Each structure stands twice: as C-alpha cells, then as structure tokens.
Amino acid sequence: MTNPIRNSFGSGGPPLETVRRFMLTIVGAAFFVLVVAPWLATFATDLLWFREIGFESVFTKSLVWRAGLFAGGGAFAFVFIYANVRYAENRSGSIPALFMNRNDGVRVDVSAIVPRLFLIGAALAAFLTGTIVSAQWLTYLTALHAVDVGAVDPLFQRDIGFYLFRLPRVETVLNTLTLLTVVSMAGSAAIHALRGELTFSLRRTSLPSRATRHLGVLLAFLFVLLAVRLWIVGASALLYSDTGPLLGASYTDVHARLPGIRLNAAVGLAAAGLVLFGALRGGFIRWSGIAIASYAAVGLLFRGIVPSVLQSFSVLPNELVKETPYLEWHIAATRRAWNLDSVETRDLVGDTQLTMADIKANAPTIDNVRLWERDLLKQTFGQLQEIRTYYDFASVNDDRYTIDGRYRQVHLSARELNPASLPTRNFINERLTFTHGMGITMAPVNQVTAEGLPVLFIKDVPPVSTTSLKVTRPQIYYGELTGSYVIVGTSQKEFDYPAGETNVYTNYTGTGGVPVGSALRRMLYAWQFGSTDMILSSYITSGARILYRRNVVERARTALPFLRFDAEPYLIVTDSGQLKWILDAYTSSTVYPYSQRSRDGTNYMRNSVKVVIDAYDGSVDAYLADPGDPIIRTYAAIFGSIFKPMSAMTADIRRHTRYPGDLFRVQTQLHGTYHMVAADAFYHREDQWQYPAGGPDGDRAVNPFMRHIIMKLPGEAAPEFIYMTPFTPRGKDNLAAWMVARMDGEHYGKLVVYRFPKQTLVYGPKQIANRINQDTDISQQITLWDQKGSQVIRGELLVIPIKESLIYVQPVYLRAEGGNIPELKRVVVAHENQVAMAETLDEGLAMLFGGAAARTATTAAAGLAAVAPNAPTTGTNSGLVSAAQQHYDRAMAAQRAGDWAAYGREVEQLGAVLRQLKATKP
C-alpha cells in the first residue's frame, strides 16, 4: 500500500527516511539539552543539598511518589483513553477517505494518519494527567498515613481527619476519572462519527449496537462518577457553605440543599440506568437526553430554587431561631481549629489607682519599656554600625536575655554582607572572598545616651560586648540577605572583617556546604549556576565546599516544603556565643469543617514546628513544638526522623523561642468576635472587640499596639516575656480587654485575656493620644522643634499594663534636617487623665506619681514651662542644675560632631534652664 505522506513529497531532494532521522536527531538533542540535562543537574544538586542537611527522606519520598504517580497516572490515563479509541475503530471497516489539498492543487488522502493523531492525543493526555496527578503526591501520602483527630464534624459525625486527609484524595481521584471519561467519550464519538456510525434524526435515531454500547457505557459511567461525587464531595462541601450568617452548613443547607444533593445523586444513578437501557435496547439518544435533562432539572430545582425560596421566605425572617444550633457548631469549631478554646480569661477590677509604690513594685516592667522603635533603630544601626558599605542590617528583632544578672529585653540585628554593595563585583570577590557577614548589634530597649542615641551592649567588628553576653563565633554565612552561593575552603582567603587600614582574613572551618573538589561536581554546579568560572578557576581546590540556599527562609522552605513559615525569622545568641536562627513553622488547612477562614482561606493553623538554622554551618534542625497536632503527626509518620522532640532542643535555645506573630495576629482578630460563645450574643455582636484605632489612616485592621513586653502579669510573681495586644469595643475607643501570649518556661504558648469591667471607663490609645495632642506644653515644644527645621517623630503609643491598670508611654524623636539618625529627646507618659513629658521615662513617671517637687524639677529639665517664683526650692535647684549639665554636655558633643544645628538648640535650651534656675532663687 502506498504511503500517502511519502507520496506527498516530490521526487527530488534527499530520501524521506534520511530527513526523518536527521530531524529526530535534532529534536532529540534539543530535548536533552533543554529538558533532560537541566533536570538531571537540578536532581543531582538537590540530592546533594538534602543529603548535606540530613533531610534526604523528604527529597526521596517526594521524588519516588512524584515519579510513581506520574508513571502510574499517565499509564492508566493512556490505557483508559487509547483503549476506548481503539475499541471505537472497527477492524473490519475503515475510516472514509479524508482529503487535504496541497499547494500544487493535488488532493492527498490523509485518513491513514487519523489513528496516529488519536494515539498522539492519548499520549499527550496521559502526560498531562501524569503531571497533574504527580503534583498531588502529598495528598496521596497524607491520605495513606492519616491519623484520626479525635473529634467529629457535627453534621455527618465523621472524624475531622477524613476532611483533612482522605477527602482531598477522594476528590482528586473522582476529578481525574471524570476528566478521562469525558476525553474518552469525545475521542470515541469522533471516531464513530468519522466512520458514519452516528446518525441523527428529529423523529428516529438509528445507531449500530456497537457504538451504542460503547458510548452508553461511558456516559453511564460518567453519571455514576457524578453521583458518587455529589454524595461524598458535594455533601461535604456544605460544611464550608456561606449561605447563612456563618461558615458551615446552615439551616437551609441541612434541610434543603443536603436532601437535594442526595436526591440529585440518586437521579444520577437512575440516569446511568436509563442510558444503559437505551444503549442496549435502542433509542440511545432519546433515553440519554431524558437522563441528562432529568439530572439537570433535579439539580436546578432541588439544589438551587428550593433552597433559595426556603432561605428567603422562611429562614431570613426567623434567622436567629433557626440558625442557633448551627451558630453554636460554627463557634465551637472555630475556637477549636484556631486553638481559642484554650484561652484563659481573667477579670480585672479596672479602677486600681496606681502609686509610685506600684511603679517600683513593677520595676522589671518599667525597666523594659520599649522606647526604641525597630524601624527607627534599624536606621540608627545602619548609620552607626554598618562599618562598611557592604554590610547591612536586614531587620531588628526583640528578644530577652539575662544580662549581668538582670532579665532584659533587647533589640538585636545581624550585620550581614550585602553582595550588591561590594565595590568590585566579580567571581573572586562575590563567590570566594566576601563570603559572610560579621556579628550583631544589640541594644537594650530602654536605654539612651546623653546624645539621645541607643546604648549598645554589643557593637563593632569583631563584636565587642560591654556585658556578660559574648559572641564567640560571629561569622554569618546563612542569613536573610544571603541569597547567592559562595565557595569556601579554597586557596583564596576569605575576608573576615576590616581592622583599621588593613583587613583580617579567615578560612571556613565548618561542616556546611557540599564538597566540590572533583571535576565532575564542579562541572555539575557550573551547569546549575551558569558559571564557567567554577570550572576554570584555579582557586577551587580539592577541599572546596559550595554553600547555597543560604537564605534561611528559602533554606527552611526547601527542606520542609509542606509547612508554612512565619514572616519573621529571628537570630539568637546561645550560651556558648554561637549565632542561630529560629523560624516558626505552621501546619495549616483550608478544610476544617465549620471553622472561620482567615483572609487567605486558612481555617486551621498550628505552630507545630520550630526550625533552628545555624548561622555558621547552615545545619537545619526541626523540633516538634505541638506533637498533638494531627497534621504534624501525619507528616512525622511520612518523613520519619527529620523531626526531633522539643526535649532535644538545648535549654539555651529553648529560652529564646517565641510565640509566632502571624498566628497571634489571626488569633487575636478572631478572638475579638469568638470570645462570645453564646449564639444570640454572637449573632448580635453584642460584645465584639476590635483592635484600637491607630493604624495607618485609622485602619483598625492594622494593629500598631501588638508588641513584645517583659512584664509581671497580674497575679503572677515573676516578670516574663509576652506578646500583647489591647482591644476596644466595636466602634468605641475605650479599652475592653488585653490579650497576651506567654513565652517563658512552662507557661509557653498559653493565651490569656484580661477583661476590664464593662461598667468602668478605661481610656484607650486614641483617647490618650487626643489628650497628648491637647496638652499645650507638649504641643508648644513640638511646634518649636518643627519651626527650627528639625523633624519631630512621634513614636508608637505603648500600652503598658501595670498591676490591674495601665500607663501609656510615647517616645518622641528628633531628626536634624537632612540627617539620618533619629535621637530620642522626650518621653510622654500618661495615666488616666494625666499627661507628662520629660527627658526620661523615670522623670515622666515621677511627674505623674512622685509629688510636686519631682514634677517641678522634671518639668524644668524638659524645658516645657517656667517654675513659679514662689515654688518650693527643695530638690528644684538640683534638678535644674542636672538639666543644665545635660544640655551643656550635648552642646559640646554636637560641636565636636560638627552638628551646629543641634549645638544651637542645646545652647538655647541651656539658656532657658539657667533663666529658670535664676528665677528659683529667693
């Protein structure tokens, strides 16, 4: 038989077989270079990297299951589709001739290539199916290793683990089978049509029995799949319905939509029977039309129209009565899914009058009031401590340390190397020489120098400490700015730190990185990173190691791709002086029944893992922080030994673990509503809380009052490090409560809410801010500074719980015109309806709680108002003399620094204090 395609070529030119082989060679070579080689390089480097950090099981499990699902899913799809296509081809018959016109007008019969096109189509569909199925590898693994949660959904009484682990696999399988059935029907119908076996008539349909049986079986199978999907997946989807005033199945869903789904599923099975009847007994098209119309009509009527009518005319007029049990289900599920059911509530008296004795009794709280804001402190660190242009501070974190015997809250920032700022950027500098950052800068949250700058506990390069806390291994190879690879252990010395006019160099002695001494590995990584220098450089010796994926967030996400990570990694100093990063990792789900969702759709979350990454060698350790979480128990069953118990974490690291910020933000947002457990109160939002106004443009969704504090909680004996946020009633500005997440010792992870009495007015941040703005002395001083060209920066208003009351503290910074260093100049302190501004927090507290003499002295020192001539002199002169000395010292410091604007301000304020001192003389 003559091949029509071969005949379509002219008689000239090279033989067709030669051209075909040449083209196949070109295509094969291109495929290898563009697809196979990059994949092999990525595979090899990933394997070596996972092996380096000890997480090889994650890589191998993922690879094996991806490959297995791709092969299995693709093979099944190919057999399913191609078997149907082949069955549709009648071996005793043939496809009618199909002609295509060539450019020269000759008609060519192409019917012989139709089966090949279907073969190619089946192979393409199989490839796509395999790709889609392999991407669901974790869904299949979690279903296989699923654990029971121990709680059931209130509607179907199934264990919650069914929805977290098993239902997603069921849905994936049903969706895949449905897609394959539809594709097979389309391909089979096309072949039957090409063979002329499908004939349609308005009155009468005549189909050969073979085509009838084939298409009838496929359509019936499709109806069965739809029925099963409705019965299992469709009914379960009601647990996430938003029909009523809640997330979850409401009255209409339970009494109308659920029966409609089950009826529609039963009709789907009946439709499958009708289709098979028509396929076997004749009248296939007619019976199929009846089946499809019946299925669609029942769905439209009983899943759409009837529920809408019931909701509009019966439920909405009586919503609270009808929805009460479902509201209770929703509240309970949300509190359980977000761990709000474990929140402890304590009631405060609310009318406690603070005295100086109370302030002194809470000295650990006062001594750790955060006067430096992290954004401003980052600017100051950048100006004072970057040392060289290629160093940078990525972020500033809060932490707590016992320093010189005192429990102190500090700000800490890593001095990282920023390759983009290197003066000369080339392979030797970026990859071999400038390989790491150097040390940290640490400052207490509340101490200020005479110049208004932060006191530094740890500073300079190499790090110099003025306290008992020391950094013994300051090199930072892994951090937040380390986004590129470096090679260590080469013959090129590594830059360690600058020392005057010279530089100090070092060699890496850690165990991090992958050995790249062999030529094969150098070629492999040269291909992976697109660098021929890695092959050609003579500096790379047999002992060289390549460090990559050095960004700690990327490193953790790659090692544990099934976890989510908090937005803020933080650096700690261990007792031995080593630097380590801690990252909070979450397990989460979007399918917890009846639970309220966050903005990204999550409705279940736990901080189940703490990841510790060494800043020097990049080692990754994952600790189980919440071993009771069913999701992490499932992951532990899958990946085995990669998770360690918290008891394996050393005490010096465990002391610095924090309650994660992203989780606490969502929990506090939800608790503002879900602390109301009674359905009627929840429905009416009678006691809803919200964040205080104070965010950008008054946005209450942004909470500037959430922060870390060291304080002694009411009823507790010792100070502790907590995460705290206040609440105001919805639409009001007075405070209703404040919530804390405890972090120290045995109290770690406990959430506590302190509620003020509803009948007591407790001023909120906005009300206090208004009082500060209305204070004439404060506004005059700020206006004076503004008029002299300086930029006044009013810091965050701090809410500080003391005993069962509150004080408010607001730092005020001054930045010279054109300057980059903000200086802390004043501290505003407020309690109830009293406001004071002083140079220090202690002076401000003395003005509020310490008596007239202290107030007079502190007011004079602040330069706010003249002292009355007849005021008592006891203690006043000493205060004014102290203030005069401070202004003089600052003026001299400004003179030495060449800051003549600051010098002029200090001299002017010195003159004002001297005039006040003169006025106090008898």
Side-chain angles (χ1 to χ4, degrees), residues 713-774:
L713 293 171
E716 301 293 337
E720 53 189 285
F721 191 62
I722 64 167
Y723 214 175
M724 178 264 188
T725 186
F727 292 109
T728 64
R730 181 170 58 93
K732 303 294 184 180
D733 293 322
N734 59 289
L735 279 191
W738 47 281
M739 183 174 179
V740 302
R742 305 175 71 176
M743 305 192 199
D744 287 349
E746 63 182 7
H747 300 301
Y748 176 86
K750 294 182 179 179
L751 302 177
V752 186
V753 169
Y754 295 88
R755 296 188 304 191
F756 293 108
K758 294 182 181 179
Q759 66 274 14
T760 302
L761 175 64
V762 179
Y763 290 116
K766 186 175 181 180
Q767 294 167 320
I768 294 296
N770 290 337
R771 287 186 174 274
I772 294 174
N773 293 335
Q774 293 166 4

Side-chain angles (χ1 to χ4, degrees), residues 354-376:
L354 294 180
T355 65
M356 182 55 75
D358 296 322
I359 299 298
K360 292 180 179 179
N362 287 271
T365 302
I366 300 301
D367 291 343
N368 289 284
V369 171
R370 197 178 87 181
L371 299 180
W372 286 103
E373 292 186 16
R374 296 196 296 184
D375 290 343
L376 295 178

Side-chain angles (χ1 to χ4, degrees), residues 240 255 299 379 443 505 733 806 829 873:
Y240 319 105
H255 292 86
Q379 298 176 25
Y505 292 87
D733 293 322
L806 298 169
V829 185
T873 59

Side-chain angles (χ1 to χ4, degrees), residues 274-486:
L274 288 177
V275 170
L276 286 177
F277 178 81
L280 298 175
R281 301 295 297 271
F284 171 69
I285 298 298
R286 178 162 55 88
W287 287 110
S288 297
I290 293 174
I292 294 172
S294 300
Y295 180 82
V298 169
L300 178 63
L301 179 62
F302 292 98
R303 292 166 52 199
I305 296 175
V306 171
S308 297
V309 171
L310 179 65
Q311 179 72 16
S312 299
F313 294 99
S314 178
V315 176
L316 289 179
N318 309 280
E319 191 170 46
L320 178 57
V321 174
K322 292 184 178 295
E323 300 288 11
T324 292
Y326 310 107
L327 284 169
E328 292 172 348
W329 292 354
H330 170 69
I331 294 169
T334 299
R335 289 170 58 83
R336 186 167 54 248
W338 290 101
N339 205 30
L340 300 178
D341 56 345
S342 64
V343 175
E344 180 183 355
T345 300
R346 301 180 186 178
D347 291 321
L348 301 173
V349 175
D351 57 356
T352 302
Q353 299 296 317
L354 294 180
T355 65
M356 182 55 75
D358 296 322
I359 299 298
K360 292 180 179 179
N362 287 271
T365 302
I366 300 301
D367 291 343
N368 289 284
V369 171
R370 197 178 87 181
L371 299 180
W372 286 103
E373 292 186 16
R374 296 196 296 184
D375 290 343
L376 295 178
L377 193 63
K378 181 175 178 293
Q379 298 176 25
T380 303
F381 282 174
Q383 292 297 314
L384 301 179
Q385 282 293 301
E386 282 185 358
I387 310 298
R388 293 290 189 271
T389 58
Y390 40 78
Y391 287 133
D392 203 354
F393 293 101
S395 62
V396 177
N397 301 118
D398 295 289
D399 206 349
R400 72 282 198 197
Y401 291 84
T402 300
I403 299 176
D404 297 329
R406 296 176 60 194
Y407 194 46
R408 303 294 300 270
Q409 183 175 348
V410 299
H411 291 301
L412 181 151
S413 186
R415 184 184 294 104
E416 298 192 53
L417 187 123
N418 188 349
S421 299
L422 289 174
T424 303
R425 300 187 62 183
N426 53 43
F427 178 78
I428 294 177
N429 276 352
E430 290 189 65
R431 309 302 183 191
L432 308 181
T433 305
F434 292 90
T435 56
H436 57 273
M438 172 53 62
I440 62 172
T441 296
M442 179 184 288
V445 297
N446 65 328
Q447 284 186 246
V448 186
T449 67
E451 293 78 22
L453 300 175
V455 172
L456 300 180
F457 281 171
I458 300 178
K459 60 182 179 179
D460 300 338
V461 290
V464 176
S465 175
T466 60
T467 69
S468 58
L469 187 65
K470 308 296 182 183
V471 178
T472 59
R473 196 172 67 183
Q475 292 83 3
I476 300 175
Y477 285 86
Y478 299 84
E480 295 182 87
L481 297 179
T482 48
S484 57
Y485 73 91
V486 296

Side-chain angles (χ1 to χ4, degrees), residues 111-342:
S111 57
I113 68 171
V114 171
R116 299 182 185 179
L117 293 178
F118 281 105
L119 175 62
I120 295 173
L124 179 60
F127 177 82
L128 294 176
T129 302
T131 303
I132 294 172
V133 171
S134 67
Q136 302 296 320
W137 65 277
L138 193 58
T139 299
Y140 286 88
L141 267 176
T142 53
L144 184 64
H145 296 85
V147 300
D148 288 337
V149 175
V152 298
D153 77 276
L155 184 58
F156 301 111
Q157 296 298 305
R158 298 191 189 109
D159 188 90
I160 301 298
F162 172 79
Y163 304 99
L164 297 179
F165 309 118
R166 298 181 181 90
L167 184 60
R169 181 181 63 174
V170 172
E171 186 174 8
T172 298
V173 171
L174 290 175
N175 289 342
T176 302
L177 290 175
T178 301
L179 178 62
L180 295 179
T181 303
V182 171
V183 172
S184 297
M185 284 181 60
S188 300
I191 291 181
H192 285 304
L194 286 173
R195 297 187 65 250
E197 295 178 344
L198 292 180
T199 57
F200 300 94
S201 171
L202 294 177
R203 295 185 178 181
R204 182 169 172 269
T205 304
S206 176
L207 288 176
S209 60
R210 193 168 186 276
T212 298
R213 289 193 301 270
H214 186 198
L215 296 180
V217 168
L218 288 175
L219 184 56
F221 183 58
L222 179 61
F223 273 119
V224 171
L225 290 174
L226 294 176
V228 172
R229 194 181 192 285
L230 270 178
W231 192 271
I232 300 177
V233 180
S236 299
L238 295 179
L239 298 173
Y240 319 105
S241 168
D242 57 359
T243 300
L246 61 133
L247 186 78
S250 62
Y251 182 92
T252 298
D253 295 317
V254 174
H255 292 86
R257 193 162 280 117
L258 180 57
I261 287 174
R262 288 174 172 168
L263 176 61
N264 208 180
V267 171
L269 294 177
L274 288 177
V275 170
L276 286 177
F277 178 81
L280 298 175
R281 301 295 297 271
F284 171 69
I285 298 298
R286 178 162 55 88
W287 287 110
S288 297
I290 293 174
I292 294 172
S294 300
Y295 180 82
V298 169
L300 178 63
L301 179 62
F302 292 98
R303 292 166 52 199
I305 296 175
V306 171
S308 297
V309 171
L310 179 65
Q311 179 72 16
S312 299
F313 294 99
S314 178
V315 176
L316 289 179
N318 309 280
E319 191 170 46
L320 178 57
V321 174
K322 292 184 178 295
E323 300 288 11
T324 292
Y326 310 107
L327 284 169
E328 292 172 348
W329 292 354
H330 170 69
I331 294 169
T334 299
R335 289 170 58 83
R336 186 167 54 248
W338 290 101
N339 205 30
L340 300 178
D341 56 345
S342 64

Side-chain angles (χ1 to χ4, degrees), residues 580-600:
K580 294 182 182 291
W581 295 93
I582 300 180
L583 296 87
D584 288 293
Y586 303 111
T587 55
S588 62
S589 177
T590 60
V591 291
Y592 196 100
Y594 269 99
S595 174
Q596 182 62 32
R597 290 191 170 109
S598 63
R599 292 181 178 181
D600 64 355

